[in-house]
């Protein structure tokens, strides 16, 4: 199959969170299975052209694309090695993309022209199959930002020559990001005003809602874990108002658990670590712990666990549950290695606790891939008390690095972490989003940690978990095959 991925993120070049990891690993897994996978990304202003091997494609002409009242000049670039299994194309459009940031500026504020960016990205992507003489079987859009591609496919390419069957898939990585705009935004998208008025595809409570349009309009829709699919189709809290739309898709809305890319996330081969380790020999992990303490200027002895956190500092990730406990646990001798950027008020609150407990709480408000690896490897416990979690990759990485995760029983966390009750389980699971519940889970962890034999068995069970991409890719292949109409080429 010829598969075109449209996404705002792809690791490592443009990664904000799990979406970047997924688009990269899923594309490679599908390519390994024999498919021709091509990814189209915006050419963001912060990318290092030399390092990422980004260069203009001289054989493709510069073009103009209309977004709302503006006409933009665009050019296509290639990214990465010409021999790579997955081809990555980037769209250059200076007024819209030539600035740092994927969704937000350096203050964490969302870009006000996000719809213009999404529209241009989608239009450029849909031009590519014809330019490349590459009939596309599946257009796979990721999250709300990529939904315009599905809408244009429906609206415009129904009349124009369709380069291939171009069946459409929408994968929802986070239902909370819906791209909601005033009804007049339909003009920016260049779609008929009727689409923004009831019962038009884009209309939702009098506004334009991109994700809603994608849910209704894509040939098939999925999200990234079976449990989150269930939660979002059956409850308002998780469905964020779109639960009925999701439920109405019946079998055309499903959950496919993400994989973890063990090519990048394997403590036995990880070059970012001061020492490597395996389930059979965890001596390297002890060294990683020691070095992490040194790197972050922490004192943490061996009496109490060192707790790691890596994640976006937003409400979703449950930092509100961690914050009220930090003073107390630091006073008790726990140490914390926290890495994350996001909402300013959360960053400030974490900075304030770190300042109160130098040597016990370290906070790094940066995006630092290497440090993330070292926290997964060097910590004793991994904190992931998310409010909701579509899939979550961090807990999978923590398991692989012998760092039992402490998670709330929600979304993909419930699908991937089993509570350590007796001789089974891989981590510590709690139900309600309350600091006391997280504290109780941490106390259970502390107790088990003081029993080295039980702890080692727990670590080894986690390290043996295999959330491989091959399985997830096979599930996506099935999804594609289901919607591919037998259209003659
Ligand atoms: P989400 O997609 O909601 O952000 P996931 O758990 O699916 O959550 O994926 C998060 C990914 O982003 C992981 O690879 C994690 O290591 C990475 N990450 C998050 N914040 C940072 C950061 N500040 N520095 C480095 N990596 C980070």
């Amino acid at each position: 199959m010829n598969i075109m991925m449209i996404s705002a993120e792809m690791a490592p070049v443009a990664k904000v969170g799990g979406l970047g990891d997924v688009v990269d690993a899923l594309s490679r897994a599908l390519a390994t299975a024999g498919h021709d996978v091509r990814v189209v990304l915006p050419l963001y202003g912060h990318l290092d052209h030399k390092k990422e091997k980004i260069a203009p494609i001289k054989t493709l002409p510069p073009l103009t694309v209309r977004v709302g009242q503006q006409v933009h000049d665009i050019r296509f670039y290639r990214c990465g090695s010409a021999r790579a299994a997955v081809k990555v194309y980037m769209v250059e459009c200076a007024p819209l993309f030539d600035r740092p940031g994927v969704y937000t500026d350096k203050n964490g504020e969302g870009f006000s022209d996000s719809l213009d960016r999404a529209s241009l990205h989608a239009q450029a992507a849909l031009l590519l199959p014809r330019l490349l003489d590459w009939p596309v079987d599946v257009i796979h859009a990721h999250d709300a930002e990529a939904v315009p591609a599905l809408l244009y496919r429906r609206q415009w390419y129904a009349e124009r020559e369709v380069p291939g069957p171009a069946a459409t898939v929408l994968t929802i990585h986070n239902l909370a990001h819906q791209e909601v705009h005033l009804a007049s935004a339909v003009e920016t998208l260049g779609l008929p005003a009727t689409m923004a008025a009831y019962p038009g595809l884009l209309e939702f409570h009098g506004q334009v809602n991109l994700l809603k349009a994608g849910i209704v309009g894509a040939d098939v829709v999925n999200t990234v874990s079976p449990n989150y699919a269930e939660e979002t189709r059956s409850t308002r809290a998780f469905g964020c108002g779109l639960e009925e739309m999701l439920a109405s898709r019946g079998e055309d809305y499903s959950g496919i658990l993400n994989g973890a890319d063990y090519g990048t996330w394997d403590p036995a081969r990880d070059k970012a670590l001061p020492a490597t380790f395996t389930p059979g020999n965890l001596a390297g992990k002890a060294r990683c712990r020691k070095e992490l303490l040194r790197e972050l200027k922490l004192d943490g002895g061996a009496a109490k666990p060192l707790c790691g956190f890596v994640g976006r500092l937003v409400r979703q990730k449950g930092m509100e549950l961690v914050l009220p406990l930090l003073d107390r646990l630091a006073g008790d001798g726990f140490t914390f290695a926290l890495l994350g950027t996001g909402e300013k008020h959360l960053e400030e609150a974490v900075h304030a606790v770190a300042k109160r407990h130098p040597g016990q709480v370290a906070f790094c408000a940066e995006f630092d891939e290497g440090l993330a690896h070292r926290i997964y490897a060097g910590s004793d416990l991994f904190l992931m008390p998310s409010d909701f979690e579509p899939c979550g990759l961090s807990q999978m990485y923590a398991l692989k690095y012998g760092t039992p995760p402490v998670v709330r029983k929600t979304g993909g966390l419930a699908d991937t972490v089993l509570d350590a009750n007796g001789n089974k389980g891989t981590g510590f699971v709690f139900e309600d989003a309350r600091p006391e519940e997280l504290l109780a889970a941490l106390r259970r962890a502390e107790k088990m940690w003081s029993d080295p034999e039980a702890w080692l068995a727990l670590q080894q069970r986690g390290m043996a978990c295999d959330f491989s991409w091959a399985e997830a890719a096979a599930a996506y292949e099935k999804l594609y095959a289901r919607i591919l109409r037998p259209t003659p080429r």
Side-chain angles (χ1 to χ4, degrees), residues 9 15-22 173-174 177 224 258 265 309-314 316-317 338-342 364-373 376 382 384 386 388-397 413:
E9 294 182 47
K15 169 172 164 175
V16 178
L19 170 61
D21 287 351
V22 171
H173 299 262
N174 196 334
H177 301 304
V224 288
N258 284 334
W265 298 98
F309 173 94
V310 179
R312 293 177 295 116
L313 285 187
V314 293
Q316 179 199 343
K317 296 292 171 182
L338 313 170
L339 169 66
T341 58
C364 187
E366 268 161 46
F367 191 92
D368 187 333
E369 190 79 33
L371 180 56
H373 284 244
Y376 290 116
F382 187 77
M384 201 157 172
S386 307
F388 66 95
E389 197 56 76
C391 176
L393 295 172
S394 296
Q395 82 283 10
M396 298 187 191
Y397 304 152
L413 297 173

Side-chain angles (χ1 to χ4, degrees), residues 25 111 145 147 161 223 232 249 287 311 313 357 360-361 413:
F111 292 131
E145 285 75 13
V147 164
E161 185 203 342
T223 187
T232 48
R249 293 301 313 251
R287 169 115 186 268
L313 285 187
H357 303 277
Q360 297 239 239
V361 179
L413 297 173

Side-chain angles (χ1 to χ4, degrees), residues 120-321:
L120 187 118
H121 181 198
Q123 293 189 56
L126 289 182
L127 289 170
L128 268 177
R130 237 172 326 149
L131 290 171
L132 298 169
D133 197 13
W134 184 66
V136 61
D137 291 299
V138 176
I139 299 172
H140 190 156
H142 296 269
D143 274 349
E145 285 75 13
V147 164
L150 308 185
L151 303 180
Y152 298 148
R153 158 77 185 96
R154 256 175 94 109
Q155 194 69 20
W156 298 342
Y157 286 81
E159 286 117 52
R160 294 181 203 175
E161 185 203 342
V162 179
T168 56
V169 177
L170 169 65
T171 298
I172 302 171
H173 299 262
N174 196 334
L175 207 60
H177 301 304
Q178 300 184 2
E179 285 284 336
V180 179
H181 298 266
L182 294 176
S184 56
V186 73
E187 286 164 30
T188 305
L189 290 169
L191 290 166
T194 48
M195 282 179 79
Y198 184 80
L201 198 59
L202 277 162
E203 193 276 344
F204 196 60
H205 297 303
Q207 293 180 299
V208 155
N209 183 319
L210 277 190
L211 197 62
K212 179 258 172 174
I215 289 169
V216 178
D219 291 334
V220 73
V221 184
N222 79 298
T223 187
V224 288
S225 72
N227 192 39
Y228 189 64
E230 209 37 60
E231 290 172 339
T232 48
R233 69 152 66 86
S234 59
T235 60
R236 190 177 172 78
F238 290 104
C240 304
L242 296 176
E243 56 283 354
E244 282 170 30
M245 304 285 160
L246 292 167
S248 73
R249 293 301 313 251
E251 296 204 335
D252 284 341
Y253 176 54
S254 61
I256 299 176
L257 190 72
N258 284 334
D261 177 12
Y262 296 126
T264 306
W265 298 98
D266 178 1
R269 298 181 280 160
D270 192 331
K271 293 201 167 62
L273 305 184
T276 55
F277 54 94
T278 60
N281 182 356
L282 286 166
K285 184 167 172 72
R287 169 115 186 268
C288 288
R289 185 184 196 274
K290 213 168 132 195
E291 293 293 326
L292 181 65
L293 290 171
R294 203 181 48 80
E295 178 177 354
L296 298 178
K297 302 188 177 58
L298 289 166
D299 312 322
K304 294 278 164 125
L306 163 58
C307 304
F309 173 94
V310 179
R312 293 177 295 116
L313 285 187
V314 293
R315 204 189 139 69
Q316 179 199 343
K317 296 292 171 182
M319 190 42 89
E320 274 98 343
L321 298 190

